[in-house]
Amino acid sequence: MAQVVNDAASILAGVYQTRVSQYGATPAKLGSIFVSFPGNNPPTNFQTSDVQNLITGAIEGGALPEPDEETSDVLHCVFMPPGTNPPPNLGGLHTYANYSDYDFPFDFDINDRSHMAWVAFGSKAFISSVFSHEVVEALTDPEGDGIQVNPTNANNWNEIGDVCTSTGLVNGVTVQSYWSQIDKACVIPANIPLSMQITCIHKNPRNDIAHPIRSVGGINRTENVPFRMSQLECIESIDRGNSFFVVGADGSRAEVKVFIHFPPWNRRGIRYIATVEDNSKADNLLSLPEC
Ligand SMILES: [Zn+2]
């Protein structure tokens, strides 16, 4: 699950979406992450309607905002679990569902549209590439009357991801190309990652695991300038494809990655940074001096 979240975060934070603005779309940002309740499993052979029912049920239950309560347009993307099979010949799909609510007399939320997508389970590369495809299409053609590619069709949506098939790596994450009209080509925008050495952290109190690392500091080795940023800014920078690392007293290098945990008291994921476990216990983030 951490891998799926990190790959999705990387796609959304990086330059992959930059070519959708030509179509009047604003690149999507990562929103809230939820894990479904244990036992709340979809049918083995699921249909799009099962996903629509999951989303509208979560809205009804209060876990997700009603469409007219969204502070900005939301795409609810559901990653299907292992052991489930999509409808034939589909790896993913984006669509919408009508949501009706009558919270008389306060709220007349009648037939507002809730936008959603699902991604079938598969390999890491499969999941991230299908996700990238659905995101750029949902941004440019959320309801089938937006940007399509010839031959356009109101029922059989022919969208900017459907006319492209190539995949590529952006920041180590597999994405699918999409049609860029200004380039007259299927494109995968990419960037040049920064190499960031963390040399200090700010955390108080140090030995209380309930208190997160507040900020990190160090040297941007690509541009040879010092940096200081909050943990959230560090997570967003890792999501954009920049690499963060710690060098231990013995000279060994440990990569800093983003992890996620789901506290038992709610089902919302909390993301945090830590070094990838290696043989050396000395070179992790928590052994660095205070900034
Ligand atoms: Zn498509």
Side-chain angles (χ1 to χ4, degrees):
M1 190 174 293
Q3 188 68 72
V4 168
V5 171
N6 281 352
D7 286 359
S10 174
I11 290 167
L12 297 176
V15 296
Y16 171 74
Q17 301 180 83
T18 47
R19 281 293 198 264
V20 301
S21 53
Q22 67 181 290
Y23 301 117
T26 305
K29 294 190 194 114
L30 185 68
S32 299
I33 303 151
F34 292 92
V35 60
S36 190
F37 289 98
N40 186 23
N41 295 324
T44 303
N45 297 303
F46 68 87
Q47 304 293 320
T48 296
S49 57
D50 294 312
V51 178
Q52 291 173 314
N53 291 338
L54 176 78
I55 298 299
T56 51
I59 294 172
E60 198 60 57
L64 297 175
E66 295 180 12
D68 69 344
E69 294 170 346
E70 293 172 357
T71 48
S72 58
D73 287 336
V74 174
L75 176 68
H76 302 291
C77 187
V78 179
F79 293 91
M80 303 307 289
T84 56
N85 304 314
N89 304 318
L90 275 179
L93 184 140
H94 76 94
T95 184
Y96 59 89
N98 288 322
Y99 178 79
S100 301
D101 190 28
Y102 307 93
D103 299 329
F104 185 81
F106 307 109
D107 187 4
F108 295 91
D109 197 359
I110 301 166
N111 282 331
D112 273 342
R113 286 176 169 180
S114 186
H115 299 92
M116 63 192 65
W118 56 261
V119 176
F121 186 79
S123 69
K124 170 174 154 43
F126 173 84
I127 291 173
S128 62
S129 65
V130 171
F131 173 73
S132 68
H133 175 121
E134 300 306 334
V135 166
V136 292
E137 290 189 340
L139 285 171
T140 52
D141 191 29
E143 297 177 357
D145 56 0
I147 303 297
Q148 293 193 11
V149 184
N150 282 328
T152 60
N153 189 310
N155 298 315
N156 193 3
W157 303 356
N158 192 36
E159 301 174 313
I160 62 171
D162 299 325
V163 293
C164 300
T165 55
S166 60
T167 58
L169 282 177
V170 179
N171 305 329
V173 177
T174 304
V175 293
Q176 200 217 288
S177 62
Y178 57 92
W179 181 256
S180 170
Q181 187 63 24
I182 57 175
D183 296 297
K184 301 282 190 294
C186 292
V187 297
I188 297 178
N191 65 349
I192 298 161
L194 302 172
S195 181
M196 309 282 277
Q197 181 182 355
I198 298 177
T199 57
C200 66
I201 64 168
H202 173 53
K203 180 179 187 297
N204 195 12
R206 266 298 168 126
N207 298 321
D208 182 357
I209 55 165
H211 288 77
I213 293 174
R214 295 286 170 201
S215 60
V216 297
I219 301 159
N220 172 344
R221 293 290 179 196
T222 305
E223 296 165 344
N224 273 317
V225 290
F227 72 87
R228 182 84 191 264
M229 61 179 69
S230 68
Q231 175 168 217
L232 177 61
E233 289 170 327
C234 182
I235 288 170
E236 290 170 345
S237 186
I238 293 172
D239 287 342
R240 285 195 297 275
N242 300 317
S243 73
F244 286 72
F245 62 97
V246 173
V247 177
D250 58 354
S252 65
R253 173 178 161 135
E255 299 300 320
V256 175
K257 298 289 181 194
V258 182
F259 299 83
I260 188 168
H261 88 110
F262 293 91
W265 59 88
N266 78 20
R267 309 296 295 172
R268 193 182 281 217
I270 296 173
R271 303 179 81 210
Y272 64 98
I273 53 170
T275 46
V276 176
E277 286 222 26
D278 61 5
N279 295 329
S280 165
K281 290 281 174 220
D283 60 355
N284 62 29
L285 272 176
L286 294 178
S287 65
L288 292 174
E290 186 73 12
C291 287

